[in-house]
Amino acid sequence: MRWRGVNHIELSVLDYERSVAFFDEMFGWLGYKSFWTLDLGYRSTYYMARFPFPHSYIGIQPARSGGRLDHEARATGLHHLALWATGRREVDRFHRDFLLPRGISVSDPPAEYPLYAPGYYAVFFDDPVNGFHLELAHIPLIASPGAYRRTARAWKQAAADHPDWPAGTMKAAFRTLPGRTKK
């Protein structure tokens, strides 16, 4: 079983200096560290939550082409990037103390999304420079019994809204992937 998911993601940005300023402010507010703001054949800046221990990180570098993204258009490419929050309070504070005062476009204010996972709580917003759709989300390690009940109700409602789904919707949601083939 794999204990880590994404190693890193690199985002190509329209205006590197403005993007660094925005991401420095956002990731600084969230307690991230930045490293490697150097030009070693290409300019890049990286952000990591648990520096210096091996952990996933996010990098930005100047784009060579393209324009501002519009996540509503659902064009090919990254739809959104979700960052971990330490708790619901951090999601609420980030919305109130970081996003709103800066006039950052919030597509979905803080709310619980019981269909995603028990206790899933998030805010969705857009990077003001490039249009990246971002999310700050919290999923409790152990959700409350009420959160599990809300998730069960949400799944039951989703199944009722989709009669085309097979019986045992939750089991159908988890697919078995092919494993490695032996040589």
Side-chain angles (χ1 to χ4, degrees), residues 54-102:
H55 190 349
S56 57
Y57 61 89
I58 298 164
I60 63 170
Q61 55 187 271
R64 291 189 180 147
S65 66
R68 185 174 165 78
L69 299 175
D70 176 9
H71 81 276
E72 290 294 328
R74 298 231 179 205
T76 300
L78 177 72
H79 180 268
H80 76 278
L81 175 64
L83 305 168
W84 284 103
T86 58
R88 284 179 176 233
R89 283 189 189 136
E90 184 176 48
V91 172
D92 290 336
R93 282 184 41 242
F94 181 73
H95 177 252
R96 182 188 67 235
D97 298 344
F98 183 84
L99 298 174
L100 294 180
R102 289 164 179 81

Side-chain angles (χ1 to χ4, degrees), residues 105-127:
S105 174
V106 175
S107 61
D108 298 283
E112 185 175 44
Y113 295 87
L115 193 58
Y116 299 169
Y120 194 111
Y121 191 78
V123 60
F124 293 83
F125 58 100
D126 294 331
D127 152 24

Side-chain angles (χ1 to χ4, degrees), residues 5-155:
V6 174
N7 181 289
H8 69 277
I9 185 169
E10 296 269 343
L11 304 173
S12 294
V13 297
L14 295 172
D15 182 325
Y16 184 74
E17 298 304 327
R18 282 183 55 217
S19 294
V20 167
F22 168 71
F23 285 114
D24 278 1
E25 197 172 8
M26 182 186 78
F27 284 122
W29 195 97
L30 291 169
Y32 282 60
K33 302 290 183 202
S34 181
F35 67 101
W36 204 271
T37 303
L38 301 172
D39 186 349
L40 299 174
Y42 62 92
R43 295 176 74 190
S44 58
T45 299
Y46 298 101
Y47 303 92
M48 182 186 289
R50 292 192 333 225
F51 188 81
F53 303 107
H55 190 349
S56 57
Y57 61 89
I58 298 164
I60 63 170
Q61 55 187 271
R64 291 189 180 147
S65 66
R68 185 174 165 78
L69 299 175
D70 176 9
H71 81 276
E72 290 294 328
R74 298 231 179 205
T76 300
L78 177 72
H79 180 268
H80 76 278
L81 175 64
L83 305 168
W84 284 103
T86 58
R88 284 179 176 233
R89 283 189 189 136
E90 184 176 48
V91 172
D92 290 336
R93 282 184 41 242
F94 181 73
H95 177 252
R96 182 188 67 235
D97 298 344
F98 183 84
L99 298 174
L100 294 180
R102 289 164 179 81
I104 294 172
S105 174
V106 175
S107 61
D108 298 283
E112 185 175 44
Y113 295 87
L115 193 58
Y116 299 169
Y120 194 111
Y121 191 78
V123 60
F124 293 83
F125 58 100
D126 294 331
D127 152 24
V129 179
N130 307 284
F132 293 123
H133 195 50
L134 303 167
E135 172 186 3
L136 183 63
H138 173 67
I139 304 171
L141 190 57
I142 300 172
S144 70
Y148 279 98
R149 285 192 297 274
R150 289 188 297 277
T151 293
R153 281 195 301 269
W155 272 92

